[in-house]
Amino acid sequence: DQQVKQNSPSLSVQEGRISILNCDYTNSMFDYFLWYKKYPAEGPTFLISISSIKDKNEDGRFTVFLNKSAKHLSLHIVPSQPGDSAVYFCAASVPSNTDKLIFGTGTRLQVFP
Amino acid sequence: DGGITQSPKYLFRKEGQNVTLSCEQNLNHDAMYWYRQDPGQGLRLIYYSQIVNDFQKGYIAEGYSVSREKKESFPLTVTSAQKNPTAFYLCASSIGGGIPEAFFGQGTRLTVV
């Protein structure tokens, strides 16, 4: 039972444009969400997070939006750069156990010149 | 430099043998985690430890064992009971105390032949 879903396995975007990565979840108890970026053969790197009490969080070129009613979050990268090419994972946790993150299957982003 | 060190990067073992993956951190983090990544899948939590001398099962603990005798170290043993041990294993740590943002190591790719 995949509680966190990233339905687009891949996304291709031109440099300078906006990249939008999507994530859906089924468990309404999730109250904290994170995005990680991963290069091949390396560990993931934390990017940005959002609590369920917010609907938006920004950090430089990265913005995460949360729509609780739709159980949907998205990561916007503006402007996209070639170095952003990586696999992006969203993850979620419940209040009773924030250590037990549940990850999505990832979306591979390719930014081309 | 502070960080998480996993060794070795690549590991080969014969079927039926136990193997131990090393994970050391010098970030003074209380919590440590082991994840497994398989192709086309997200990261799945194997075990985690919120404090020294204590650890909890994650979502796929069968066939694995851990210990947490020191704050800096969280070794994972893949036993012969693990039916599909070939995978990419990632160790992570976090400050703990309900803060889930984790820092990951570079990973160990285990191949069982």
Side-chain angles (χ1 to χ4, degrees):
Chain A
D1 177 25
Q2 190 70 28
Q3 296 185 62
V4 179
K5 302 177 187 178
Q6 293 177 258
N7 292 318
S8 299
S10 63
L11 176 67
S12 191
V13 171
Q14 188 171 31
E15 182 178 4
R17 302 277 187 138
I18 184 171
S19 294
I20 300 176
L21 297 100
N22 294 306
C23 181
D24 297 295
Y25 60 95
T26 57
N27 189 343
S28 57
M29 297 299 293
F30 287 148
D31 75 333
Y32 201 80
F33 304 88
L34 306 90
W35 283 95
Y36 284 86
K37 172 182 177 179
K38 184 181 181 301
Y39 293 116
E42 291 187 11
T45 303
F46 169 72
L47 266 180
I48 192 168
S49 61
I50 188 166
S51 164
S52 61
I53 61 173
K54 293 185 172 182
D55 53 19
K56 177 182 173 182
N57 190 25
E58 283 182 85
D59 185 1
R61 295 187 298 115
F62 302 91
T63 302
V64 55
F65 295 92
L66 176 62
N67 182 335
K68 290 184 287 293
S69 60
K71 295 193 183 69
H72 176 84
L73 67 154
S74 60
L75 175 68
H76 293 211
I77 306 174
V78 183
S80 301
Q81 299 173 354
D84 296 329
S85 298
V87 178
Y88 289 79
F89 292 96
C90 64
S93 69
V94 296
S96 58
N97 199 334
T98 54
D99 287 297
K100 294 184 79 173
L101 289 179
I102 297 177
F103 282 80
T105 52
T107 296
R108 182 177 302 278
L109 172 66
Q110 183 178 5
V111 180
F112 59 93
Chain B
D1 276 75
I4 301 175
T5 302
Q6 288 187 243
S7 61
K9 192 163 181 144
Y10 299 95
L11 191 54
F12 294 87
R13 277 295 182 269
K14 289 186 178 179
E15 196 171 340
Q17 288 182 336
N18 290 358
V19 58
T20 298
L21 281 59
S22 167
C23 178
E24 304 278 331
Q25 55 101 357
N26 60 4
L27 299 166
N28 200 32
H29 284 172
D30 284 320
M32 296 188 74
Y33 315 82
W34 275 105
Y35 289 88
R36 168 182 172 142
Q37 186 187 15
D38 294 282
Q41 295 203 36
L43 284 67
R44 291 182 291 168
L45 181 65
I46 304 171
Y47 267 99
Y48 65 102
S49 167
Q50 294 168 315
I51 198 166
V52 175
N53 292 322
D54 185 52
F55 50 82
Q56 308 293 331
K57 290 182 179 180
Y59 298 106
I60 54 166
E62 187 175 347
Y64 299 97
S65 66
V66 293
S67 62
R68 186 85 187 276
E69 296 175 4
K70 297 187 297 182
K71 188 175 185 177
E72 307 79 37
S73 179
F74 191 42
L76 173 75
T77 297
V78 184
T79 75
S80 56
Q82 168 50 233
K83 291 181 171 40
N84 297 296
T86 295
F88 188 52
Y89 290 88
L90 287 156
C91 178
S93 70
S94 72
I95 294 173
I99 299 175
E101 286 86 347
F103 295 83
F104 283 81
Q106 297 287 304
T108 293
R109 181 162 298 282
L110 172 66
T111 303
V112 174
V113 296

